[in-house]
Amino acid sequence: MIQSFIKSCLYLFLLGFLLWTCSSDNGKNLPPASGVSGDMYIIMDSAQWKGELGAVLDSILSQEVQTLPRPEPIFKIWWINPKKLNPVLKQRRNLIFAVTFDQRGSGAAMLKGMYTDQAVAELERDTSLYIRTTPDVYAKRQQVMYLFGNKEADLVKKIRKNGTRIIEFFNKTERERLTTTLFAGDPQKGIREVIRKDLGCDIKIPFGYRLVMNNPEFFWVRQFNPKDDRNVFIYRTEYRKPEQFQKDSLIALRDKICRKYLFEDPEKADTYLLTETAVSFKPVLTRPVTHAGNYGHEMQGLWRNNNYGMGGPFISLVVLDPEKKYLYYVEGFIYGPSRDLRELIREVETVIYTLSFPTAPVK
């Protein structure tokens, strides 16, 4: 434990030698980061971009989002030659600098110039070091990742092993940015007070969402636009046993909620929504999570109405309340047949992850 801690401190100290990670004004006078959510700019030598290192980064970061109805990449990738990295491109929201010290190209030489001789010597000695992240290098609310190694084959191996962690890091960064944007104004206090009173929890509702239904077990808000329909709902039920968190139980719970409350046509009870489980290459995905210190599960997949007339993606968070008396099912789902849906599902994901169980008044 102590050795691991010392190594971590040494790691952070040595990588502080990166010449581009320091800002003399601590970010106070930096411009805001530019670019589109989900865009990723990779700066690396042209030979490495066209080789194995570029291929593995591209394959990991631009792989298809598994839980959307149409192919969309996790990130849209833009490659930048280091010689063409101008002040405008430096201000993009997500940057990855990648280089290995066994390369001799001019672009690689520029990137290796970011490291002092002392840092390079330490990296050559300790080959376990390969990644560094630093916020607000050239712009506010920017995230920069540095990937480095002595040999390209070694760095490729580390990236393959840790690809999921790299994706999760930037996904979390995008969600944090979106949280700031969505709730820049006052979250809708009146709606939140209703949630607190009826369901005993709190969730931030962005401006533009309107209350559709609420009762002591179910709450639903919706933002209906010409090209898409964004929905967030909360359902509360008794917690009885751990098996309620099993995948089949979560799907059954979701279908129970949807059949009772969510209809394609409110005048027709036989047009209810349900979870799509018949498409083998688009399975429902679940994973355990800890949310605000509480045990839970995240579930993602596709929904449809029972007549196959409409459908789309959903993401849900199922959490125990602090006293383990209730199970809270919170979901965001989207309908947008003519739109890309990656960023819309990220929006409702951001909303549902504001779920909390506060004791103080809503602020």
Side-chain angles (χ1 to χ4, degrees):
M1 179 74 73
I2 295 176
Q3 289 180 340
S4 176
F5 175 77
I6 294 174
K7 185 175 180 179
S8 297
C9 292
L10 179 63
Y11 166 70
L12 293 174
F13 173 76
L14 287 170
L15 271 296
F17 285 108
L18 290 170
L19 299 183
W20 288 356
T21 60
C22 299
S23 174
S24 59
D25 58 7
N26 294 319
K28 293 180 181 180
N29 298 316
L30 292 174
S34 61
V36 179
S37 179
D39 278 6
M40 183 71 64
Y41 289 78
I42 299 178
I43 302 95
M44 58 191 301
D45 181 78
S46 59
Q48 291 201 291
W49 173 248
K50 296 173 184 177
E52 190 176 12
L53 181 58
V56 72
L57 279 172
D58 185 56
S59 66
I60 289 172
L61 295 169
S62 64
Q63 63 185 291
E64 182 180 332
V65 180
Q66 293 182 325
T67 53
L68 294 181
R70 296 180 299 275
E72 293 185 51
I74 296 176
F75 295 101
K76 185 176 181 180
I77 304 300
W78 303 87
W79 167 66
I80 305 297
N81 189 312
K83 293 181 286 187
K84 296 184 178 180
L85 183 63
N86 58 45
V88 173
L89 293 175
K90 284 182 179 181
Q91 294 172 14
R92 297 305 191 210
R93 59 201 292 142
N94 299 316
L95 300 181
I96 294 178
F97 292 88
V99 68
T100 56
F101 303 138
D102 59 351
Q103 298 300 303
R104 298 292 180 265
S106 58
M110 292 181 65
L111 295 176
K112 287 188 286 185
M114 297 161 51
Y115 303 82
T116 66
D117 293 341
Q118 185 176 355
V120 171
E122 179 58 30
L123 295 174
E124 289 176 346
R125 185 191 66 81
D126 188 349
T127 58
S128 67
L129 306 180
Y130 76 99
I131 188 170
R132 160 87 174 180
T133 61
T134 307
D136 304 339
V137 177
Y138 306 107
K140 295 177 182 177
R141 296 173 61 197
Q142 179 190 63
Q143 192 59 253
V144 179
M145 176 177 285
Y146 301 90
L147 297 171
F148 44 82
N150 294 316
K151 297 180 180 180
E152 181 170 313
D154 292 339
L155 181 57
V156 166
K157 185 177 180 180
K158 291 184 175 71
I159 292 172
R160 282 203 178 103
K161 182 179 180 180
N162 296 283
T164 300
R165 294 174 60 187
I166 293 173
I167 290 171
E168 289 177 350
F169 172 80
F170 280 107
N171 274 336
K172 183 175 182 290
T173 297
E174 290 288 22
R175 196 167 74 201
E176 289 171 350
R177 291 189 186 112
L178 192 52
T179 298
T180 301
T181 302
L182 281 176
F183 308 116
D186 292 333
Q188 301 192 53
K189 186 176 180 180
I191 293 180
R192 294 173 67 195
E193 288 174 341
V194 171
I195 300 172
R196 176 79 67 84
K197 178 182 177 182
D198 290 347
L199 295 174
C201 65
D202 188 20
I203 191 171
K204 294 181 180 180
I205 305 298
F207 180 79
Y209 283 76
R210 297 292 178 259
L211 179 62
V212 179
M213 183 186 304
N214 72 286
N215 61 48
E217 72 171 13
F218 181 77
F219 179 90
W220 178 16
V221 291
R222 178 184 187 188
Q223 183 182 125
F224 186 78
N225 303 300
K227 292 186 177 181
D228 62 76
D229 186 0
R230 311 173 198 187
N231 299 264
V232 173
F233 69 81
I234 307 171
Y235 179 83
R236 184 178 70 171
T237 189
E238 287 187 27
Y239 173 69
R240 300 182 304 277
K241 54 186 179 180
E243 287 75 17
Q244 286 175 268
F245 282 101
Q246 293 179 354
K247 181 176 178 178
D248 289 346
S249 297
L250 294 177
I251 293 174
L253 174 62
R254 183 184 188 278
D255 287 346
K256 173 186 173 182
I257 300 167
C258 292
R259 184 155 191 166
K260 185 174 182 178
Y261 289 114
L262 299 170
F263 302 94
E264 179 185 6
D265 183 347
E267 303 299 322
K268 298 180 180 180
D270 62 346
T271 61
Y272 55 88
L273 307 188
L274 51 79
T275 309
E276 177 60 85
T277 58
V279 182
S280 60
F281 59 90
K282 292 287 184 178
V284 176
L285 303 178
T286 62
R287 66 184 182 101
V289 297
T290 300
H291 178 68
N294 302 319
Y295 179 76
H297 268 62
E298 181 186 275
M299 182 165 67
Q300 297 186 62
L302 300 178
W303 64 270
R304 62 175 175 85
N305 80 316
N306 62 311
N307 296 315
Y308 292 93
M310 60 187 297
F314 74 87
I315 181 169
S316 59
L317 183 64
V318 193
V319 184
L320 285 179
D321 78 345
E323 298 180 356
K324 294 183 171 59
K325 293 181 178 179
Y326 289 106
L327 193 70
Y328 285 85
Y329 182 98
V330 190
E331 177 175 305
F333 70 93
I334 302 292
Y335 179 62
S338 61
R339 289 202 58 178
D340 288 341
L341 301 177
R342 181 190 66 196
E343 295 309 312
L344 296 185
I345 204 70
R346 195 193 301 276
E347 176 180 315
V348 295
E349 175 189 14
T350 300
V351 175
I352 68 173
Y353 267 88
T354 65
L355 175 72
S356 63
F357 305 97
T359 57
V362 174
K363 294 182 179 180

